[in-house]
Amino acid sequence: MNIITTTALANFKKNKSRNILIGIAIGLTAFLVTMLPTVVIGQISVQFQAVNEVYPPVHGAYRDVDEKTAAKMRADESFAAVGLREQAGRMYSGDKDVKGVMYAYDKTVLGLSGIKLKEGHFPKKADEIVVSEGCLKAMGLSGGVGDRIRVPYQPSREGRFLKATEKEFTITGMTEDTPEALEKGVYELIVSEAFAKEIIPEGEHIYTAYFQLKDIEGMVTEEIEDRIKRTGEQYGLAKEDIVENAEYLAANYVDVALYTGLGLLLAVIVLAGILTIYSIYYVSMLDKVKEYGRLRAIGATKRQIRKLVFREGFAVAAIAVPAGIILGLIAGTGLVKAMIHASISSDRILGEAMITILESGEAKIVKWWIILLAAAVSLLTVYVSLLRPMHKASRITAMEALRYQGGRKGKETARKGYRELNIPRLTASNLGRNKKRTAVTIASLGMTGVLFVVVATCCGCMAAEDMARESIRKDIVVSIDIEQEDEMHPEWELDAIQQDNPMTEELKDEIKNIDGVTSVETSLLTSGNISEKQGEIKNADSEEMNCDVKGLGAAAMKELEPFITDGSIDDPSLKDGTGIIFSKASLQQDHPGWKVGDKLFLQVMDGKEIRERKVTLAAVANGPTSLMGYYVIMPEEALREMCSSDTTFFWDISVEEGKEDATAERIGELIADEEVLEIGTFREMYEEAEDTIRFMLVGCYGLLAVFGLIGILNLINTMINSVYVRRKELGMLQAIGMSGRQTMYMLQLEGIFYTAGTLAVSLGIGSILGYGAFLWAKEEGIMSIKVYHYPAVPAVCLAGIVLAVQILITFFVNRSFKKLSLIDRIRFAE
């Protein structure tokens, strides 16, 4: 072992306190760099494995494909496979909430779909069918494989369901009922192609075409999705009829966005680690100037000094990095298992498949490349952190070391004089003596604080209440549940409901009189068309209706005002009934060229009639769906004036606190006999929203806690070294009369300065960046973020934690300092 290595190990043993701090910082960096990809990649790996078991291996689907287009697709050499599925009809139960959809699959789709039967085989003849026990029970039927059942059903024709008829089928197979099917009362039945051809005339078949593309090896998901869209457009399909199998594509091809996001997050972690470890080494270097100078005086070269600093640093890393990686793997694996068992996936079948894969041991959460990556990144972080200290240490000369008193070279070491000396001035003198050290410490702590405030802002704006309000305005909503294109139940269609609307004033008064109800607000809704041309739609049966038109009362219009992004809620055209407000998302997606002030033609469905009015685009809004719907908004009075029929569609009901459940139950009883009315509650939506964001909050704040710990380590190191390098100075000040209380006061002032600087950076820059993050999330529609909430509670907690940590550090540093005798302090570094 050479002299450099021996000296480095001796320093390693001597500087235990500093090395413990550095080791914790390095270990935390290794921990984060290991845990984060383990959690992300581990969960994704299990999910992708489950996707390949649950989802069909198709790249996408095209809906509303006619027979000629389907034939062209099958002959198109750009497709590796094209399979067809057709909705032949649906079982007729008479119950609006129970549906048994009858699908006919060709052999290609059956081969690709991965549909598994509980028993039996797929139907081949026109009178054969595959059903489930839940469906038979819901339809009031019974039977098993081989039994004959008589099924009432409605044939499907160009999107409409005709009058019911009956047919006797032989059950050839049984499928398992999914939890969603049992919960929602919607079942999928399988019939033969022969049955579909028997009941649907030639030339009127409408298919969903499932396909696999050729020659896409090596392409990323974005390129594949673009090709799917372009191909669909070439066949004249509407963009809403082009569907990518996003889950399958992500599981089997490279998703650039996913790995870019993970890379950016890792870069932030590495940057935080570099800044913290560098700042610890930099501050620690101040008390080692004389030591390196003595080594230079006895003949050590610059290269040897650099090696000394390097080896001492990597001696710490040799212990900290493996420890951090091991802890990261343990924590990451545990988090993956917890997240999967919590059924985070919105797809219940996929979630159950993920749990099965996890429990069977098939999934490999720990990846060997993550361990290598974490080790490489952690060691690279240490190396980069050591570059500046190595350079600085190698430049120290023997004469510099002898003259060194803890300040900077040249004229800058001279302190500013004062006529009267007091504790605040002594504190300012010390902080100003090494401005770079002070700035590095505040920057390190401030960066963590900025990140904390930005994340806290996003998490605060992602409040469960705001997410719930996206779906429901008040405590309870009663609304109309329409069903179009059903010849058996024309009374369920919108035009019929408008002519005989069950949302009568009498029923509204009954709801108002329920104990606990404080108000009932009415909103209108009808189908419509908005265009630059006059008279595009001639009658209410036209399929050209391209928007919903919602009429809001005065209170709701006032509520909409904060969400206006362009134009004004006070526009005169809105007051006189000739103005409309557009949904921002709809405007950007469907009419990006339109702007406030444009003159348009609005047509609305009024029973069997179409009413038209020339309107002005008065404003654009980006409010919650529960308030403004999806497309066009206008004042309630204006929509009532346009329509002679009753377009009442929503009752938003406010209830006294604590009476929501009883009131909802009573309202449910009142509307039970009305098939087209349904009820929703804020509490149900709120609970769903809470479940959605709970795991995200835990993950975000958990990650920030680790970042905060790294920053606190830096503050501890700065305060300790600030006292350590000035022990002689402080001892002399005490020798000439400065009391222990005054020493404590001076240290507290230094700590308060770091605290104030950290909070100024964190809350100042963090608030600005946090608001920017909110605007971006709002613009992109992420997690239903609509309303800005300043993170006041997290900000106060941040200030409290930083202040408490500073007080504790000052207390323990001063306590350690007082253990030395006055003579020892004065003799320090002699």
Side-chain angles (χ1 to χ4, degrees):
M1 188 181 295
N2 61 34
I3 188 66
I4 299 298
T5 303
T6 303
T7 306
L9 291 176
N11 280 341
F12 173 75
K13 294 175 183 178
K14 176 186 174 184
N15 302 318
K16 288 183 180 178
S17 298
R18 186 195 70 161
N19 289 333
I20 287 172
L21 286 173
I22 294 172
I24 293 174
I26 295 171
L28 283 172
T29 302
F31 171 82
L32 286 173
V33 174
T34 306
M35 183 195 70
L36 183 66
T38 297
V39 170
V40 176
I41 301 299
Q43 186 182 2
I44 288 174
S45 296
V46 177
Q47 181 174 329
F48 286 174
Q49 195 169 338
V51 163
N52 285 326
E53 288 189 8
V54 173
Y55 283 74
V58 296
H59 298 136
Y62 295 138
R63 294 187 295 230
D64 285 342
V65 176
D66 59 34
E67 291 178 64
K68 290 182 179 178
T69 303
K72 290 179 182 178
M73 287 182 179
R74 282 179 157 171
D76 192 336
E77 293 186 358
S78 65
F79 294 107
V82 175
L84 304 177
R85 186 192 75 175
E86 182 176 19
Q87 183 175 345
R90 68 181 180 188
M91 277 191 175
Y92 176 68
S93 66
D95 185 345
K96 190 170 184 291
D97 296 324
V98 178
K99 298 180 179 67
V101 186
M102 306 166 78
Y103 286 116
Y105 297 87
D106 68 9
K107 291 181 180 180
T108 304
V109 173
L110 286 176
L112 293 173
S113 66
I115 297 174
K116 296 178 181 178
L117 300 183
K118 184 178 177 182
E119 57 178 315
H121 60 84
F122 291 108
K124 297 178 182 178
K125 299 178 182 179
D127 64 344
E128 294 180 340
I129 192 170
V130 169
V131 295
S132 69
E133 292 179 8
C135 177
L136 291 175
K137 185 177 179 181
M139 299 294 173
L141 302 171
S142 62
V145 174
D147 292 338
R148 299 280 289 180
I149 55 173
R150 193 159 192 84
V151 177
Y153 72 94
Q154 294 176 266
S156 176
R157 193 70 49 79
E158 296 182 345
R160 294 186 62 83
F161 292 102
L162 309 183
K163 293 186 180 296
T165 184
E166 287 190 353
K167 184 177 179 68
E168 197 170 77
F169 289 90
T170 298
I171 300 174
T172 63
M174 300 289 289
T175 58
E176 289 279 4
D177 287 299
T178 65
E180 285 85 357
L182 294 172
E183 184 179 324
K184 297 177 181 179
V186 179
Y187 304 91
E188 291 191 8
L189 316 175
I190 302 175
V191 294
S192 65
E193 287 185 275
F195 173 72
K197 290 176 180 178
E198 181 181 280
I199 65 170
I200 300 176
E202 186 176 349
E204 296 184 17
H205 292 271
I206 300 295
Y207 301 103
T208 296
Y210 294 88
F211 58 84
Q212 290 179 331
L213 296 172
K214 274 185 182 178
D215 305 323
I216 59 171
E217 291 76 15
M219 294 175 66
V220 298
T221 54
E222 188 176 351
E223 292 174 331
I224 298 172
E225 289 172 353
D226 286 341
R227 181 172 162 185
I228 290 171
K229 290 175 183 175
R230 281 188 278 105
T231 303
E233 289 168 357
Q234 289 170 5
Y235 279 103
L237 300 176
K239 56 186 173 183
E240 61 267 20
D241 292 328
I242 300 172
V243 184
E244 305 90 12
N245 190 0
E247 290 81 3
Y248 178 79
L249 293 177
N252 294 277
Y253 301 90
V254 177
D255 189 343
V256 175
L258 170 66
Y259 293 103
T260 300
L262 180 60
L264 288 174
L265 194 51
L266 285 175
V268 171
I269 293 172
V270 170
L271 181 60
I274 289 173
L275 184 59
T276 301
I277 297 168
Y278 164 74
S279 63
I280 292 174
Y281 275 120
Y282 174 80
V283 173
S284 301
M285 195 63 62
L286 299 178
D287 70 294
K288 296 176 71 65
V289 171
K290 289 188 177 182
E291 177 184 329
Y292 293 132
R294 290 190 186 105
L295 290 173
R296 291 297 307 278
I298 62 174
T301 65
K302 290 183 178 182
R303 185 181 180 191
Q304 287 174 322
I305 295 296
R306 284 197 296 267
K307 284 184 177 181
L308 177 64
V309 176
F310 177 82
R311 291 178 186 179
E312 185 179 346
F314 268 76
V316 178
I319 298 173
V321 170
I325 290 174
I326 291 170
L327 291 175
L329 290 173
I330 293 171
T333 303
L335 274 173
V336 170
K337 292 179 179 179
M339 291 168 73
I340 291 175
H341 279 286
S343 297
I344 294 174
S345 173
S346 58
D347 187 326
R348 189 181 300 180
I349 297 176
L350 184 63
E352 290 174 354
M354 290 171 67
I355 293 173
T356 302
I357 290 169
L358 190 68
E359 292 178 346
S360 67
E362 296 176 30
K364 294 181 180 179
I365 298 174
V366 177
K367 309 290 185 182
W368 63 267
W369 62 266
I370 291 179
I371 299 173
L372 293 180
L373 176 68
V377 169
S378 301
L379 294 175
L380 180 63
T381 301
V382 174
Y383 176 72
V384 172
S385 303
L386 285 170
L387 286 176
R388 178 63 178 166
M390 287 163 58
H391 178 69
K392 184 176 180 63
S394 67
R395 292 180 61 190
I396 296 171
T397 65
M399 293 305 295
E400 242 177 25
L402 293 174
R403 293 198 307 266
Y404 180 72
Q405 296 296 327
R408 295 177 64 182
K409 297 187 295 181
K411 294 180 180 180
E412 295 181 20
T413 59
R415 298 195 192 185
K416 181 180 178 181
Y418 296 101
R419 287 182 179 275
E420 294 182 10
L421 193 62
N422 55 30
I423 299 302
R425 286 175 174 173
L426 275 174
T427 303
S429 176
N430 177 58
L431 292 171
R433 192 187 336 174
N434 201 313
K435 295 176 183 177
K436 188 173 181 180
R437 180 192 67 184
T438 303
V440 166
T441 300
I442 291 176
S444 175
L445 289 167
M447 190 185 76
T448 303
V450 167
L451 188 61
F452 177 87
V453 174
V454 171
V455 173
T457 300
C458 293
C459 290
C461 295
M462 197 173 58
E465 182 170 355
D466 291 337
M467 293 181 68
R469 292 298 179 203
E470 186 70 26
S471 303
I472 185 168
R473 274 187 64 211
K474 303 295 183 182
D475 299 307
I476 299 171
V477 62
V478 173
S479 59
I480 291 176
D481 178 22
I482 63 172
E483 185 160 331
Q484 304 282 66
E485 312 298 341
D486 187 339
E487 288 190 3
M488 288 292 294
H489 294 282
E491 71 276 11
W492 293 348
E493 301 209 19
L494 181 60
D495 59 346
I497 292 171
Q498 288 179 348
Q499 296 174 71
D500 185 20
N501 199 323
M503 300 183 80
T504 61
E505 287 299 319
E506 291 77 16
L507 180 58
K508 182 178 179 180
D509 289 338
E510 285 188 69
I511 292 175
K512 282 183 177 179
N513 292 329
I514 295 175
D515 181 43
V517 173
T518 57
S519 69
V520 180
E521 292 184 35
T522 298
S523 296
L524 314 180
L525 186 78
T526 187
S527 294
N529 178 71
I530 184 81
S531 70
E532 297 174 288
K533 298 178 182 179
Q534 187 173 8
E536 280 203 342
I537 298 178
K538 304 302 181 185
N539 60 72
D541 294 327
S542 171
E543 296 181 359
E544 298 303 316
M545 294 288 189
N546 64 9
C547 67
D548 290 331
V549 182
K550 189 171 185 180
L552 298 182
M557 289 292 284
K558 188 69 177 175
E559 194 176 324
L560 183 63
E561 188 169 6
F563 301 102
I564 299 295
T565 60
D566 194 12
S568 172
I569 199 83
D570 297 319
D571 191 288
S573 65
L574 288 171
K575 298 184 184 301
D576 65 24
T578 61
I580 60 170
I581 300 172
F582 234 101
S583 159
K584 185 176 182 179
S586 299
L587 192 67
Q588 290 177 337
Q589 180 176 336
D590 299 321
H591 308 289
W594 292 0
K595 60 185 183 299
V596 169
D598 285 353
K599 302 298 181 181
L600 305 168
F601 291 94
L602 175 67
Q603 294 179 301
V604 298
M605 178 188 289
D606 179 19
K608 289 291 186 182
E609 304 295 327
I610 289 292
R611 309 296 179 191
E612 186 172 49
R613 176 176 291 180
K614 188 176 183 179
V615 296
T616 301
L617 204 168
V620 178
N622 193 27
T625 305
S626 61
L627 176 62
M628 59 182 296
Y630 294 98
Y631 226 95
V632 174
I633 305 96
M634 61 192 307
E636 177 188 352
E637 299 81 5
L639 188 54
R640 284 195 189 280
E641 183 187 338
M642 284 186 71
C643 301
S644 58
S645 56
D646 189 352
T647 55
T648 301
F649 205 93
F650 301 98
W651 282 332
D652 292 300
I653 304 165
S654 297
V655 181
E656 292 178 18
E657 188 174 351
K659 296 184 178 181
E660 295 89 350
D661 291 342
T663 303
E665 184 177 351
R666 177 65 184 129
I667 293 173
E669 292 171 357
L670 278 179
I671 67 172
D673 294 332
E674 300 291 347
E675 286 186 310
V676 297
L677 295 186
E678 59 182 2
I679 183 173
T681 67
F682 173 77
R683 178 168 296 181
E684 293 171 352
M685 304 297 179
Y686 186 86
E687 290 173 354
E688 288 179 12
E690 278 191 317
D691 291 340
T692 302
I693 66 175
R694 184 178 292 116
F695 244 82
M696 189 171 293
L697 291 177
V698 171
C700 288
Y701 284 116
L703 191 63
L704 287 175
V706 179
F707 275 122
L709 183 56
I710 293 176
I712 289 169
L713 288 174
N714 190 19
L715 179 59
I716 292 171
N717 178 72
T718 300
M719 293 294 293
I720 289 174
N721 278 280
S722 177
V723 173
Y724 183 76
V725 299
R726 291 186 294 137
R727 273 191 271 184
K728 179 179 179 180
E729 175 187 314
L730 294 174
M732 292 181 68
L733 286 171
Q734 289 187 335
I736 61 174
M738 189 169 77
S739 67
R741 179 173 294 181
Q742 288 175 315
T743 305
M744 180 68 171
Y745 178 42
M746 184 173 70
L747 294 175
Q748 285 177 336
L749 285 179
E750 288 186 24
I752 288 172
F753 179 82
Y754 287 121
T755 300
T758 299
L759 293 178
V761 172
S762 301
L763 300 181
I765 298 176
S767 297
I768 295 171
L769 294 180
Y771 186 70
F774 155 74
L775 292 176
W776 172 76
K778 180 181 178 182
E779 183 71 21
E780 297 297 322
I782 296 172
M783 296 299 288
S784 301
I785 289 177
K786 298 286 186 185
V787 182
Y788 177 71
H789 297 279
Y790 184 77
V793 173
V796 171
C797 290
L798 175 65
I801 291 170
V802 173
L803 185 61
V805 168
Q806 175 264 314
I807 292 171
L808 287 173
I809 292 172
T810 303
F811 172 77
F812 285 112
V813 167
N814 185 61
R815 185 178 178 183
S816 175
F817 179 66
K818 288 194 297 185
K819 289 180 181 179
L820 295 173
S821 68
L822 186 59
I823 298 299
D824 286 337
R825 298 172 206 169
I826 295 173
R827 292 178 57 194
F828 171 70
E830 291 292 341

